[in-house]
């Protein structure tokens, strides 16, 4: 017995798969049905447009880099933390156990 898929897409289905649709992460059949629905449904079209706009805003805001002074401070602290860590790997009877020990580092502002 073959189950036939509904060629139409409901608003509920469109909302449930909106992120996968916008990311082009759904199967071709579902993508085509969602695209058709979003193109013909004003409500779902507005939701998809709003989500797309929000993603564009987030992408543009996340593209900024930290000021050079802050970046240097963070990288310096990470270097200190890495330098104060020790990694030990012990193999017994073919089984390897890895232990990571990190010293506590306290920073004070000058």
């Amino acid at each position: 017995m073959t189950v036939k898929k509904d060629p139409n897409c409901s608003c509920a289905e469109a909302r449930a798969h909106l992120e996968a649709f916008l990311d082009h992460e759904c199967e071709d059949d579902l993508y085509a049905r969602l695209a058709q629905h979003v193109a013909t449904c004003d409500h779902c079209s507005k939701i998809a447009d709003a989500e797309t706009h929000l993603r564009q805003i987030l992408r543009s805001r996340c593209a900024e880099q930290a000021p050079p002074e802050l970046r240097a401070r963070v990288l310096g602290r990470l270097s200190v933390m890495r330098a104060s860590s020790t990694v030990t790997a012990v193999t017994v009877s073919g089984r390897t156990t890895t232990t990571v020990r990190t010293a506590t580092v306290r920073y004070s502002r000058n």
Side-chain angles (χ1 to χ4, degrees):
M1 177 180 196
T2 304
V3 177
K4 231 181 165 182
K5 289 185 180 179
D6 184 2
N8 298 318
C9 176
S10 67
C11 291
E13 184 179 16
R15 284 191 305 271
H17 298 286
L18 181 64
E19 290 182 17
F21 170 70
L22 294 175
D23 293 335
H24 302 278
E25 294 178 347
C26 47
E27 294 179 14
D28 293 340
D29 177 54
L30 178 59
Y31 185 86
R33 292 184 320 114
L34 292 168
Q36 177 65 30
H37 180 80
V38 169
T40 59
C41 175
D42 287 337
H43 179 71
C44 291
S45 177
K46 287 178 184 175
I47 292 172
D49 288 345
E51 178 69 21
T52 300
H53 184 69
L54 176 62
R55 289 171 177 216
Q56 290 170 343
I57 290 170
L58 290 174
R59 255 193 308 279
S60 71
R61 299 299 185 259
C62 295
E64 297 175 15
Q65 288 191 355
E69 300 82 21
L70 175 61
R71 189 171 164 77
R73 267 193 0 231
V74 169
L75 291 173
R77 289 183 183 175
L78 288 172
S79 295
V80 169
M81 291 174 70
R82 285 188 195 114
S84 63
S85 299
T86 56
V87 178
T88 307
V90 178
T91 303
V92 177
S93 302
R95 186 174 178 188
T96 302
T97 303
T98 305
T99 306
V100 178
R101 295 196 176 142
T102 305
T104 302
V105 179
R106 294 189 181 188
Y107 297 98
S108 60
R109 288 188 168 179
N110 296 335

